[in-house]
Amino acid sequence: MVDIFDNQLLRVTKGNSAEIVITINNKESGEPITIGASDTVIFTVSDQAGKTVIQKTLSIENLTEDGHSLLLEIGHDETMLLTGEYPYDVMLVTEDPKKVMTFISSTLIIEPAVGLYTDDVGGDDGE
């Protein structure tokens, strides 16, 4: 399960895969920004110590049919983290090195799975 909230908070159940559609909008106009052929979008999740635990690089190959959104796929093995909150950000890197911007900075929550990956008493063991 993946829930995406208005503040870009992501909730994923531990051990589940996720498909997330990311749209980059111009901050002033609200219009979608077109991803160029040499642009990349980097999705990075870190643990509380700042160590990268998930990193994905997206490009025009990941564009959805609308031509403005990107499909981010996270595998079930990548969500086998300790349950809890992880900061994440999404950054656009353009061909022009002066045009690098983080456009989403929020939290990924790994939620306990019910009946899977549990300890002896039925709770999430966090591993």
Side-chain angles (χ1 to χ4, degrees):
M1 178 178 90
V2 178
D3 292 323
I4 304 173
F5 298 96
D6 289 338
N7 61 358
Q8 307 300 328
L9 181 73
L10 300 175
R11 291 182 182 272
V12 179
T13 301
K14 181 177 181 164
N16 284 8
S17 57
E19 289 186 348
I20 302 163
V21 176
I22 298 172
T23 303
I24 307 170
N25 293 320
N26 181 296
K27 196 173 193 176
E28 285 98 37
S29 70
E31 294 295 315
I33 294 174
T34 302
I35 305 298
S38 59
D39 295 345
T40 57
V41 173
I42 302 171
F43 172 84
T44 305
V45 178
S46 301
D47 63 17
Q48 296 303 323
K51 178 183 172 195
T52 298
V53 294
I54 301 173
Q55 187 165 61
K56 299 283 190 170
T57 301
L58 306 172
S59 64
I60 60 171
E61 286 87 36
N62 304 101
L63 281 174
T64 60
E65 290 181 18
D66 69 5
H68 297 289
S69 300
L70 297 161
L71 181 64
L72 168 67
E73 296 178 279
I74 301 173
H76 68 91
D77 56 325
E78 294 172 300
T79 65
M80 290 299 294
L81 301 167
L82 293 174
T83 57
E85 296 184 1
Y86 295 81
Y88 81 89
D89 62 35
V90 183
M91 180 173 52
L92 172 64
V93 180
T94 67
E95 187 174 26
D96 180 352
K98 294 180 182 176
K99 292 187 179 178
V100 175
M101 69 176 130
T102 299
F103 62 93
I104 299 174
S105 186
S106 192
T107 303
L108 166 68
I109 299 174
I110 301 294
E111 296 188 328
V114 177
L116 299 174
Y117 315 115
T118 59
D119 60 21
D120 294 340
V121 293
D124 185 348
D125 65 4
E127 296 178 10

